Structure formats: C-alpha cells, structure tokens
Amino acid sequence: MNRPDPAPLPFQALRETPAVPLLARAQRRGLGRQLTRAAVASAGVALAVAGLVLNLSLHAWSRVALHEDALVQARMAADNSAAALLFADVKAATETLASLRAAPAVAEALLYTPDGRLFASYRRNAGGSDDGMVVETLVELKQRVVGRIVLRVSLTPLHERALIFALLTVVSALLALVIAYLRVRRVRRAIDHTEARLDQLAYFDPVTGLYNRHAANEHLRAMVDSARALGHGFVLMLLDLDDFKLINDTLGHVVGDEVLRLLAGRLQRGLRRNDLVFRFGGDEFIVVCEHQGDDEALDRLGRAALACLDAPLQAGGQEIHARGSVGLARFPSDADSAEALLRAADTAMYAAKASGKNTFAVFSRSMNEAASSQLQLDAELRRAIRGDELLLHYQPIIDLRQGRVIGTEALVRWQHPERGLLMPAAFIDMAERTGLVSDLGAWVLQAAARQQAAWREAGLGQLFIAVNASGRQFKRRLLEQQVADALASSGADPGRLQIEITEHTLVEDVAANVGTLAALRARGVQIAIDDFGTGLSSLAYLKRLPIDKLKIDRSFVRDLPDAAEDGAIVEAIVSLAHALGLQVVAEGVETERQQAWLTQRGVAHAQGYLFSRPVPPEQIPEAIQAVAARWGQQDSAGFASGI
C-alpha cells in the first residue's frame, strides 16, 4: 500500500507561524482566561461576603437604634400621660398617645392603669399592626407608679431600608466587578504583549534576526517526532566560522556582528527554500534540511553552504573573507534523537576543522570513535589533575647582558601511565574546548609556587617562575583567586612569580582584564604579554595595561637575522617596549647569530634551545652552570650565589 507524501509540516509551519509552539501558546492563553475568571470570581466572592457582613451589621445596628428611639418615645409619652391617668382623663390620654403619629415607626400605643386595665390607646392603621418590636415603660408621678405604657414599633421601614441598601450594595458590587474585569482584561493584554515580547527574545537572535538556539532545539525535537511518525528523515548541518575570534579581536564586535548578519542573509538566500537556518550561538549556525536521498545530495548541500562564504563580505568599511567548517548528520541513520543528532553534526564539523578548515564533512561512525577517544582523554586528564601524573619542566630565561639565568618559564607535561610523557600539544586544545584548562591552570600555579619556594630554600631565591594563564581563567575571573591561593599555600615570593597572558586574551575584554592585572600587580606579581606581535599590537590599549614585559613571539625570531620584515617588526617592538618602560624577552632563540642580532637591538632577555631546553626542576642548577660557562663564568657556584 503506497503511503501518500505528507506535507512538509515542520518546515512550512516554521516559516508561517511564530517559533513558539502553538500548543504552548494556546495553553498559556487558556491559563490566562482561567486566571481572569478566577480573579473576577474571587473579587465577586469577596464583595458578596463583604456586602453581606455589612448589611447584616447595619441591620443589627439599625434595630438597636430603633429600639432606643422607641424607648425614648415611650418615656416621653409616659411623662405626658401621668396627669391624665391620675385624673382619669381618657380624652387627654388619647390625645397624648395620638401625638406619637409623628414617630412613623410607632404602630400602636397602649396606656394601662396600675391594675392592668386598658385606659387609652392609639393605632396608626385601623387594621392593626404587624408583629414588630414591643417597648414598655412605667408611668410615674412623684415617684409613684400610676400606670404602664406599651409601644408596638413596626419593623417594616427597617426592612425596606435594609432591602434598598442591599440592592445598592449589589449594584455597587456589580459595577465594581465590571471595573475589575475591565482592569484585569487590560492587565491580561499587557501580559500577553509582554509574553509576546519575551517569546521574541526567547526564540529570535537579536543580531541576525534568525531563530536562535532555543528555537532550534524545540523545532529539532518536533522534527524528530514528525519524522518518526511519518517515516521520513532529514539532515542537520552545522556551520562554524573559522577563526572568527580574530575578526572580533582586530576589528571589534560591532564589525563581527555585521559579518554575522551578512552571512545569515547569505545562508537564507543561498540554500533551498525549505532549508531552515538558525543561529545556534556565537559563530555557529545550524540548518535543518528536508530529506537528502544520497551522498551526492549531501555533497551538494555542503558545497552550497561553503559557497555562501566564497565572496568577500563588506563590513565596517573593510573587505572580510569569512571561512567556515561544516558538519552534516542524518536522522535517523546517524542518530535517534535531537540531542544525538546535534552531537553527530558537531563531531562531523570538528572533523572538517581537523581536515584543514574551510571544508565540510559528513558524519560517520568512525568519527564517534575519535570523539570517544577525546572523551576518554578528557576523563584521564581530570584524573591526572587530581592525581600525580602532571609535572612541570622549566626553560631558563637569560639576561643577555650579564650572561646569567634570571628566571624560568613553567611548562606542563603529562606522564601518562600508558602513553608515556605527553607534551602540551597532545592535551591543551582538548582542555581548552572542555573548560578543563582552568583547573589545569590552577594546578600549574600551585606547582610553580611550591617550586619557587623550594628554590628559595636551596639558595636560588632570585629566580622567578613565569606561568602561562589561559583565556578561560580570565573570562571566568578565576585567576586572581587562584594566584592568591597558590601564594598562600606555598609561601612563595609573589615578586618572583610572573603571569603570562596572550594579546588575544587581553583584547577580548580590556576593561575587565586591566582590573585583574592591576589586582595581581598589587600583590607584587609580575605581568608579561606572551607571543607579542601576533595579536592587536596597539599602543592605544597597550599603554593602559599594568604590565612589566613583552615577550616577542618565536615566529619573528626564527628567521633572524636574514628576514628583513621580521627584523623590522622586532625592532619596532623593542622601541615600543623601551618607550613604555617595559622589559623585552625574545622567545625561540636557537642560534648564535640570533642572539647577537637581538643583543645589538637592545633585547635584554631571551630563552630558547640555544641556552637550554625545558628541563625537570632538579636539572635547573646544571642549566645555570651551563649558561655561566657559556659566558666564561667558570665559578658557577659563585654565579649561583650572586643570582
């Protein structure tokens, strides 16, 4: 039986409806109506209860007031009837009682003799009176009881007033409910508007106008559910810009955002109509594509994405060539859930980067094995940091003028139980990606501080130790506390600890990083910019930084003195450093000619294989002796004591 082709609902619906799922929105609206009704009903109940209590209280108070008023009327009538009773003047007594017609509530007045005989009476209505309130008082004359007067007071006016007040209360309550309902409706509309705005913020990227990561996750889950139900598949493509950080660092985030906007537009125009583009975060985009039938179609899709990057972008008045790495994964052949599909596309994207960048890769099962290997390496490195597998080697830093070792740079090594001694290149990149580099950096600081304290005890107290700090330690504002902890736990001399940070890290957030560096210098710690010349070497920000040294990157030293351009760069760095009162350290010095050229240009300090490779701490005294011998200082013991 042939199954009819279903409409591409997840794709079409996303283009024709807001990113917020309609069911969730309907549920919110239903809840809003329920809350409106509940609020109005609650107000109605409150008004009803208040009105009932008020009416009952008013009725009770009115009844008490009526009784007191009737009692006053009875006493007045009793005073006026005393003489009539004494002289048996029935006519006068009747006229006295009739004067009570001025009191509307009095329905009947009866005057009795002391022996209980009715003497005179007054009735407002010939038909008699209702069962109302009875008030009785004695008639006295010269402290002698001469009779008794009884008043019957009608409660009908009281009931009528209570009914009118109750009706007014109901009308007032209804009016109040109408006003409350209108007010609640107005507030509800404001809430709906705010929710719509929050939906916009929650589901749309403000920079590119594309759907954002949150929307992508929700719609990927919807796509997976739909594909399972209909027996269809689809493709997820992840595009990550290569070296986009360099654009932000050199041209600023405003230009970087413009590049992202332009690229977003290109992706929307360059891909197929039903391919949905999301900004997944940072410099990452994902594209959800309808089912691709074969590898050739996937190849076309990957090439189409890369073609969007071919032409240069005009942003910030500059021509920018953006490049990217693309990973593709298929549902359900490569993954059985939205989360697994994202991981598969991410794995393929990193495979593309490993292949040289600016290319694409389709996910394969073998990539999972590589990813599993990375996960295993991550777990092993975490274990190494907690255990005793990490160690530091130290490369001497030389004063070229005096021919002596003035410090060392700490370089981490990993004594892997199975793979042997691993250099940083084998694990630093992975530590950066996973964020583990912050813990690794804290370990290096602790170990270096302990070593500095140990050298001080051994008579090498003037040696400083330079420690490289990662960008993550700066971004997460961890470095200052980690340095403080290392100094406190080791007792090391802060003046003999040097923190090295790259230009790329510094320019990401100059204002915040200046504060961190200033706090470190306040502790007495030295600050050096590592790999200087490879980032944004600008006097505008350099003069703001609380630093002590510039370290010339080894890429500018490697071809000296033959490379004229590198020589010009080094001379410019040295002049800049001297103008700012900074020391200069040349990295990667490997030949006598390099050393001589650098010394002639005023470079005071250097490190490199010409003097010593990185060595374990116990070999530093030997390295000191070798440097002393190189400069003809044979009394190495005396040299060491003079450091």
Side-chain angles (χ1 to χ4, degrees), residues 126-146:
S129 65
D130 58 359
D131 293 332
M133 183 187 304
V134 177
V135 176
E136 181 176 338
T137 188
L138 297 176
V139 181
E140 297 179 330
L141 185 63
K142 295 181 180 181
Q143 298 183 345
R144 181 167 66 90
V145 176
V146 297

Side-chain angles (χ1 to χ4, degrees), residues 372-389:
S372 297
S373 177
Q374 287 292 307
L375 287 175
Q376 181 179 356
L377 184 65
D378 175 73
E380 291 174 348
L381 182 56
R382 293 178 188 274
R383 180 196 64 204
I385 293 174
R386 295 192 301 268
D388 57 357
E389 297 175 15

Side-chain angles (χ1 to χ4, degrees), residues 25 32 90 116 191 221 362 410 453 549 570 613:
R25 179 171 289 182
V90 175
I191 291 174
R221 286 191 286 268
V362 179
K549 300 178 184 178
V570 171
R613 291 176 175 271

Side-chain angles (χ1 to χ4, degrees), residues 249-250 503 506-507 510 514 529 532-533 535-547 550 572-582:
D249 289 348
T250 56
E503 282 183 277
L506 282 173
V507 299
V510 174
V514 165
I529 298 184
F532 189 78
L536 188 62
S537 305
S538 169
L539 184 63
Y541 86 88
L542 191 61
K543 66 182 182 180
R544 298 171 51 194
L545 300 176
I547 58 177
L550 299 181
I573 293 174
V574 173
S575 297
L576 176 63
H578 289 170
L580 295 174
L582 304 176

